């Protein structure tokens, strides 16, 4: 389905019912005109690096193993998957970020939005550390640890303990 999305606030509206090419939420809330950009839920034929989600259910814990890119093209896919897991009765949701190769600000917004979705549905939410380029994005934005909870990934038996990356408070 073709949609229009606001890159400032994340509002998504169906293309057919849109009243224009400016985000109505940003116009009313912030008194600024932000252009809506066309997006599609169909993967591009050349979707190299697109987001892939492998789901694993361990009782009431749902683990989503992410790989590829978490960006403007895939953020809504992640939000929909998290909403679906919460609706399915997950008591805890873990996003395994180790396979994410790239993340932009829209991807970061999606992680924060997923946290909010889980809070609304009383579902625990945590992330495992990501690859270094993604960690740099998190560090550069200054997202506080209180906003996104990171957990250590499971390590093989006998492996030396790893230190979790430190994010600015």
């Amino acid at each position: 389905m073709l949609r229009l999305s606001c890159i400032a606030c994340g509002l998504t509206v169906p293309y057919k019912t849109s009243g224009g090419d400016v985000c109505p939420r940003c116009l009313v809330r912030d008194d600024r005109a932000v252009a809506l950009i066309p997006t599609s839920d169909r993967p591009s034929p050349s979707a190299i690096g697109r987001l892939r989600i492998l789901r694993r259910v361990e009782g009431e814990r749902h683990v989503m193993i992410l790989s590829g890119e978490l960006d403007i093209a895939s953020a809504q896919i992640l939000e929909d998957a998290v909403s679906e897991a919460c609706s399915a009765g997950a008591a805890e949701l873990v996003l395994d970020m180790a396979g994410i190769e790239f993340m932009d600000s829209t991807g970061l917004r999606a992680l924060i939005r997923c946290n909010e979705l889980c809070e609304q549905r009383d579902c625990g939410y945590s992330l495992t550390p990501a690859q270094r380029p993604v960690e740099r994005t998190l560090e550069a934005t200054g997202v506080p640890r209180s906003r996104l909870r990171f957990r250590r990934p499971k390590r093989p038996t006998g492996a030396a303990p790893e230190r979790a990356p430190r994010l600015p408070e």
Side-chain angles (χ1 to χ4, degrees):
M1 167 186 255
L2 188 61
R3 299 174 187 203
L4 294 174
S5 299
C6 176
I7 60 172
C9 73
L11 176 70
T12 303
V13 294
Y15 184 78
K16 290 181 181 178
T17 62
S18 66
D21 61 348
V22 175
C23 176
R25 183 188 294 165
C26 289
L27 193 59
V28 170
R29 184 177 64 187
D30 302 332
D31 194 30
R32 63 180 199 170
V34 177
L36 295 171
I37 60 168
T39 57
S40 174
D41 60 358
R42 292 185 182 176
S44 167
S46 61
I48 297 172
R50 71 174 182 234
L51 181 67
R52 289 169 299 285
I53 304 173
L54 175 66
R55 297 175 180 138
R56 190 173 67 222
V57 178
E58 304 166 347
E60 291 185 328
R61 173 192 272 178
H62 290 236
V63 178
M64 293 186 180
I65 302 166
L66 310 178
S67 61
E69 298 179 359
L70 182 53
D71 55 14
I72 192 164
S74 60
Q76 189 63 49
I77 295 168
L78 177 63
E79 288 182 39
D80 291 346
V82 167
S83 180
E84 183 180 307
C86 289
S87 296
E92 180 184 6
L93 181 71
V94 178
L95 296 184
D96 184 338
M97 301 280 293
I100 296 294
E101 301 159 355
F102 171 80
M103 181 176 71
D104 66 5
S105 60
T106 309
L108 177 58
R109 185 192 58 78
L111 293 177
I112 293 169
R113 176 72 182 126
C114 289
N115 186 32
E116 292 168 355
L117 286 169
C118 287
E119 285 177 358
Q120 291 169 3
R121 296 179 178 169
D122 293 323
C123 177
Y125 178 79
S126 61
L127 309 168
T128 64
Q131 295 182 27
R132 188 67 194 137
V134 175
E135 291 294 330
R136 273 191 232 120
T137 300
L138 292 167
E139 291 167 2
T141 59
V143 174
R145 269 200 177 279
S146 60
R147 195 70 194 236
L148 294 174
R149 189 170 68 96
F150 283 84
R151 64 187 302 140
R152 292 177 187 240
K154 289 183 181 177
R155 55 175 193 216
T157 308
E162 294 181 29
R163 300 192 109 202
R166 293 193 49 96
L167 297 177
E169 294 291 326

